Amino acid sequence: MLQKIGKRTKTILGTLLFVPIIGSFLIWGISDMVKAVGVSRYAATVGNTTISTQEFSNAYRRQLDGMRRQGMKIDADMARQLGIGQQILRNLIERQLLLQAAHDYGIVVGDQTVAAEIQKEKSFYDDNGKFSRDKFKNLLANAGVGEQEFVSGLRGDMSIRLLLNALQASAQPPANLPRALYTLQKSIYAADVYTLPHDAMGVARAPTEAELKTFYDAHKDHYQRPEMRRGVVAVLSLKDWGENAKPSDQDLKNIYEAHKAEFTIPEERSVQFVALPDEAKAHQVAEAARGGIKLADAAAKINGAPVALKTMEDVKPGTLPADLDKTIFKLPRGETSEPVNTALGWYVMQITNIRPSATVPMARIKDKLIESWRQDRSSEDLPKLLNKIDDGIAGGSSLEEIAKTYHLQLRQLPLADQQGHGLDAATLTDKNTKEILAAEFKQNQGEVGNVFETSGGDYALLRVDEVKPTAVPPLAAIHDQIVTDWKKFNQRQLAEDAARKLANDWRKGGNVADEAKKIGATMAARNDLSRDQAQKTQKPATGIDRAILQADGAGTVVTAADANNEYVAKIRAIAPPPAASVTDAVLGDMRNTTSQWVKNDYTQLFLNALEKRYSVEINDKTVKQVENSSN
């Protein structure tokens, strides 16, 4: 999260993805707007700020769309398993925490500073290398972001940047740390390693029954079999329940009328304007234009040089700074405005076209209205249905009767433990299995439990038909396994003792080659072991490799073990990186890396403290709804 914030606040174009999309209700944007009707209205609250369902849904969908554009085949189930929704919401929460902290610490970014930042962004430059308002406007339009929304988001990003810069100013590692870490990372270790397999240690005799009994008693926990349960579950699939329902024309009309304002396209105006460097010239240009001179000609005459006549097409109310917005939407078509002071100069404007506001016809958004009706029905009728099911349970109805009456999916749960051992692959991968198993192991045998919601967004209830309690099989039932385990255990004990003696003799400077051969240990030389190599291969280091890399110096003897072998190693040499490789550039990179580590730690501690200061509440139901609807 910390690196993401840093990246997002370094470039303005990052803001196009970072700012929540909460405006621009165009015809082609109505799908998201309608889908929010009837759904929980917030995803999370952070102090006195609400992260809306729409804001979270848009961010979540943008993330999935981006991953799909990169070739990933990702659906709602995979996204949920990867925790993408939780991470997106976490990012939004952390941004709000930082914004509130910046506000409380009095960090204010003025209009002039924001304007200067926008004009520095080369993505908004024209072919002449100058800021182009037309290009700026087109880029925002392509991203579906209004100007006012963009400026507000950028202002927030800049305040976060100021806050984090102040926080991280003192987050610097000790001066000698980069060199020490680089040396440690690049040093190459050479060692001789003996490997002693456990099964190389022969066990000369068979165990007595008394020894087996002693071993069995000492390791009963290892042989304990978990509780197993068998039952029946009935599932109410919200997807099937919703898709099977059909609204009447009157139902759709009621939703349309209730939310008509949301389906209204606001008035749009097209504007032509010139920007003058000072107020006096702007007033003169306005007067000349009112006298019948074309706006561009008036500007060139008064300014003494040509002034570009620029346009803003399809401007909507509330998308420009307040003074511009007020002037544009009060100005009659064809008339010339009074000069308006902006961050980019004094604007003199004329309205070239007015498109009145209009309401999207009901027929064009019928599918969205049906989806909205289903969601409303889910929030209104579903609780009633669940109450009826609970009443049926309380009244003594069987699970089969309830499933038949309310059209629930009925399926058998085979004998399995709480982790699902015993279930078939299809059941194990079902999105509802985790909650079903948890409920099954909380109920008493023979009872029908209450309805519960699953992480997959469905509802379920079940009955436990059989319980096999936790038990340790008698020795006679697993006698052969106990014999095998006793031999392996003793082989390991013998191998540990032999490896320990080998290590002690080696530490004393003895020649251990004959001793190693006698016990069945083989030696291999390691000449290129380094932390840098381990990081590049991205493979987990073995226990003996970790022991070698932690050795104090040449001549050190270290030991390690895994499930099948004992290891004894002696360090022959530790070669630091060549002095010529430790350049200022290398140390600079390491210094930047260690500095970023410290900054990340500072920022994470700060976020932890902010979360305690501002109460954070997550609406899990909303998160599930958004995740389930994002196929």
Side-chain angles (χ1 to χ4, degrees):
M1 169 60 193
L2 311 179
Q3 291 177 343
K4 291 176 184 174
I5 287 178
K7 291 178 183 176
R8 283 193 287 240
T9 55
K10 284 179 183 175
T11 63
I12 295 179
L13 281 186
T15 310
L16 293 177
L17 300 178
F18 192 44
V19 177
I21 307 295
I22 56 176
S24 301
F25 291 130
L26 303 176
I27 293 256
W28 49 86
I30 282 179
S31 61
D32 282 340
M33 178 173 59
V34 175
K35 199 151 191 167
V37 177
V39 184
S40 300
R41 295 294 182 180
Y42 77 98
T45 58
V46 182
N48 57 6
T49 302
T50 297
I51 297 173
S52 70
T53 300
Q54 193 69 54
E55 183 178 346
F56 169 55
S57 178
N58 286 340
Y60 184 64
R61 289 173 184 276
R62 281 198 301 272
Q63 179 66 35
L64 294 190
D65 289 344
M67 296 172 74
R68 288 163 180 159
R69 282 195 297 271
Q70 294 174 10
M72 291 186 65
K73 295 181 179 179
I74 185 167
D75 57 16
D77 286 339
M78 182 183 295
R80 187 165 46 247
Q81 292 172 15
L82 294 173
I84 293 174
Q86 296 292 337
Q87 186 57 57
I88 293 296
L89 184 57
R90 188 68 207 168
N91 291 348
L92 293 173
I93 288 171
E94 290 183 353
R95 183 172 192 268
Q96 286 301 329
L97 288 170
L98 292 169
L99 285 174
Q100 291 194 36
H103 176 270
D104 290 350
Y105 286 123
I107 297 176
V108 178
V109 180
D111 292 342
Q112 297 293 334
T113 305
V114 175
E117 187 78 2
I118 293 174
Q119 293 184 52
K120 287 192 300 184
E121 177 55 54
K122 293 184 179 180
S123 300
F124 300 143
Y125 286 9
D126 59 20
D127 293 338
N128 297 321
K130 295 183 179 180
F131 175 81
S132 167
R133 180 167 181 80
D134 289 339
K135 191 170 183 180
F136 167 68
K137 182 175 177 294
N138 288 336
L139 279 174
L140 295 190
N142 291 337
V145 181
E147 181 175 344
Q148 187 173 7
E149 177 187 357
F150 175 81
V151 171
S152 176
L154 177 59
R155 193 190 308 275
D157 287 350
M158 293 175 70
S159 67
I160 289 175
R161 190 190 312 165
L162 290 171
L163 175 65
L164 293 182
N165 286 344
L167 173 71
Q168 298 171 351
S170 61
Q172 296 299 324
N176 61 347
L177 182 60
R179 181 180 292 274
L181 286 177
Y182 181 79
T183 300
L184 191 65
Q185 182 178 0
K186 297 293 184 178
S187 292
I188 296 176
Y189 292 68
D192 295 324
V193 183
Y194 280 106
T195 300
L196 175 58
H198 295 160
D199 58 14
M201 312 305 294
V203 179
R205 62 179 181 81
T208 66
E209 290 302 315
E211 286 173 328
L212 290 180
K213 179 67 165 59
T214 300
F215 182 82
Y216 169 79
D217 289 340
H219 298 88
K220 278 187 175 180
D221 289 348
H222 175 72
Y223 301 105
Q224 181 171 278
R225 290 175 180 170
E227 179 180 315
M228 308 279 281
R229 294 192 171 209
R230 180 176 58 82
V232 184
V233 64
V235 178
L236 171 62
S237 168
L238 288 192
K239 182 179 180 181
D240 294 343
W241 182 72
E243 289 179 352
N244 291 333
K246 294 182 180 180
S248 66
D249 290 341
Q250 187 60 47
D251 289 330
L252 297 183
K253 184 176 181 181
N254 291 342
I255 294 176
Y256 181 75
E257 293 297 333
H259 301 277
K260 203 166 188 177
E262 299 175 16
F263 310 140
T264 299
I265 304 170
E267 176 184 328
E268 294 180 353
R269 293 189 169 210
S270 297
V271 185
Q272 65 177 10
F273 65 96
V274 291
L276 284 303
D278 60 66
E279 184 178 8
K281 287 184 178 180
H283 278 289
Q284 293 175 34
V285 169
E287 288 300 323
R290 292 190 189 101
I293 301 177
K294 291 183 178 180
L295 189 58
D297 294 340
K301 180 179 180 181
I302 301 300
N303 194 50
V307 177
L309 180 68
K310 300 182 179 181
T311 62
M312 292 185 285
E313 302 295 335
D314 303 328
V315 178
K316 300 176 184 61
T319 59
L320 295 176
D323 288 345
L324 283 176
D325 188 83
K326 181 179 179 180
T327 301
I328 288 173
F329 285 92
K330 282 190 173 182
L331 189 65
R333 181 173 179 173
E335 293 193 12
T336 303
S337 73
E338 290 295 327
V340 178
N341 189 14
T342 76
L344 303 177
W346 288 85
Y347 281 19
V348 179
M349 300 174 288
Q350 293 176 338
I351 304 300
T352 58
N353 186 47
I354 297 176
R355 190 177 78 178
S357 64
T359 301
V360 182
M362 179 176 164
R364 291 179 61 179
I365 54 172
K366 185 175 180 179
D367 289 345
K368 305 304 177 184
L369 294 174
I370 291 173
E371 179 63 23
S372 177
W373 176 85
R374 286 173 176 164
Q375 291 174 346
D376 281 347
R377 177 174 178 265
S378 175
S379 62
E380 294 173 5
D381 293 352
L382 180 60
K384 298 176 183 177
L385 174 60
L386 297 178
N387 286 336
K388 289 180 180 179
I389 293 174
D390 283 336
D391 290 342
I393 296 170
S397 297
S398 69
L399 188 63
E400 288 76 9
E401 290 170 339
I402 291 172
K404 183 177 181 180
T405 301
Y406 300 107
H407 309 289
L408 309 185
Q409 301 170 7
L410 201 64
R411 89 171 169 262
Q412 300 293 320
L413 294 173
L415 197 64
D417 65 19
Q418 194 164 359
Q419 280 67 50
H421 300 127
L423 298 178
D424 57 60
T427 304
L428 272 175
T429 56
D430 185 271
K431 61 185 179 180
N432 298 322
T433 294
K434 182 178 179 180
E435 287 81 10
I436 288 173
L437 285 172
E440 185 180 20
F441 277 78
K442 289 179 182 178
Q443 289 182 203
N444 296 322
Q445 185 172 349
E447 73 176 13
V448 178
N450 292 327
V451 179
F452 57 91
E453 186 175 5
T454 72
S455 60
D458 295 331
Y459 290 85
L461 65 160
L462 57 86
R463 182 186 66 234
V464 178
D465 291 336
E466 181 184 0
V467 177
K468 283 191 174 182
T470 299
V472 177
L475 174 57
I478 54 173
H479 187 274
D480 290 345
Q481 183 181 350
I482 298 298
V483 171
T484 300
D485 291 348
W486 179 90
K487 287 182 178 180
K488 288 182 178 179
F489 179 81
N490 280 276
Q491 283 178 323
R492 180 168 191 138
Q493 291 294 315
L494 291 172
E496 287 178 358
D497 293 342
R500 190 179 303 113
K501 183 177 184 303
L502 185 69
N504 289 335
D505 290 346
W506 214 356
R507 291 188 183 104
K508 294 174 183 177
N511 185 345
V512 297
D514 291 341
E515 181 182 351
K517 184 177 181 181
K518 182 179 178 181
I519 62 176
T522 57
M523 196 271 280
R526 295 293 306 272
N527 298 311
D528 58 354
L529 186 61
S530 70
R531 291 175 175 81
D532 190 48
Q533 181 191 44
Q535 291 175 355
K536 288 178 180 178
T537 59
Q538 295 184 344
K539 294 180 179 179
T542 63
I544 192 61
D545 284 354
R546 288 194 298 270
I548 292 171
L549 291 173
Q550 293 170 5
D552 293 333
T556 303
V557 176
V558 296
T559 62
D562 59 26
N564 301 307
N565 303 291
E566 300 294 320
Y567 302 94
V568 182
K570 188 171 187 177
I571 314 302
R572 281 187 279 109
I574 301 176
S581 71
V582 191
T583 63
D584 290 342
V586 164
L587 291 179
D589 289 342
M590 183 59 74
R591 187 174 295 107
N592 291 338
T593 299
T594 54
S595 176
Q596 190 60 52
W597 291 344
V598 177
K599 288 178 179 178
N600 288 353
D601 287 344
Y602 270 45
T603 308
Q604 188 59 61
L605 290 171
F606 184 56
L607 284 167
N608 293 344
L610 292 180
E611 194 159 352
K612 292 180 180 178
R613 177 189 297 180
Y614 308 111
S615 60
V616 175
E617 179 189 348
I618 295 176
N619 187 341
D620 291 326
K621 184 175 182 180
T622 290
V623 176
K624 290 178 182 178
Q625 288 174 327
V626 171
E627 289 177 333
N628 291 334
S629 65
S630 298
N631 283 306

